Amino acid sequence: MSTELSEDQEQAIVALAVSGRKAWLAGDIELAERDFLASWDAIPEPKLEYDFSQSASYGIAVFYRSTGQTEKAKLWLNIVKNAYGSGVAAEEYVNFLEATIHFECGELDEAYKLFYPQYEAYGNRAFEGEDKKYLEFVKKRAKG
């Protein structure tokens, strides 16, 4: 069972994350990064005991991946893996993120190894809400 945050702690974390998202959408990557990392820092130690560590670390990894900061995305992927732990659902969710990071790094063989099992199991649904380039890549590679 995870430890619960106080209402004040939760509001502070969410406010920083929302501010980071707004800055990102406005194109202020530096401010977005600062706010996202401050949001992470606002989670008390030991961070991984809180549910927020999952969504916060995942969101930060996505931010770095999406802004072309792939080395930072890889570092945060390790935190995501620790936050989510084991289990089929968690592993599939984290594997998909890892596949997108490999894709963005140009590590296409590694990306395919992680994308394909999900495509095989769930088809197009596994890629819903994601950039279409990931699905197109898997379909093209699967055809050989």
Side-chain angles (χ1 to χ4, degrees):
M1 171 136 305
S2 84
T3 307
E4 291 192 26
L5 296 165
S6 72
E7 189 173 325
D8 288 344
Q9 288 171 317
E10 188 173 326
Q11 287 176 354
I13 293 165
V14 170
L16 286 164
V18 167
S19 177
R21 181 77 176 162
K22 287 179 182 177
W24 180 11
L25 292 173
D28 191 340
I29 303 305
E30 189 176 306
L31 177 58
E33 180 178 28
R34 209 168 34 240
D35 286 348
F36 287 141
L37 294 177
S39 176
W40 175 258
D41 288 342
I43 301 172
E45 293 292 345
K47 294 181 186 318
L48 299 184
E49 288 189 10
Y50 296 89
D51 283 340
F52 265 77
S53 68
Q54 292 179 340
S55 60
S57 61
Y58 194 96
I60 292 169
V62 167
F63 165 73
Y64 283 131
R65 178 207 68 203
S66 300
T67 57
Q69 300 178 71
T70 53
E71 290 308 311
K72 289 180 181 180
K74 285 182 175 183
L75 293 173
W76 276 90
L77 178 63
N78 291 324
I79 297 169
V80 172
K81 287 179 177 183
N82 287 328
Y84 276 87
S86 60
V88 174
E91 288 172 10
E92 287 181 353
Y93 192 59
V94 173
N95 284 351
F96 194 92
L97 174 62
E98 183 174 3
T100 66
I101 292 170
H102 283 303
F103 181 92
E104 297 302 333
C105 289
E107 300 164 349
L108 301 182
D109 291 339
E110 292 87 347
Y112 184 74
K113 287 176 190 172
L114 293 166
F115 277 140
Y116 186 73
Q118 294 189 40
Y119 176 69
E120 190 174 44
Y122 307 110
N124 294 356
R125 284 184 308 133
F127 296 81
E128 286 179 3
E130 297 290 340
D131 193 312
K132 293 186 186 322
K133 67 185 174 186
Y134 303 132
L135 178 59
E136 291 168 3
F137 162 73
V138 172
K139 284 182 171 183
K140 184 176 180 180
R141 181 71 73 98
K143 287 181 181 177

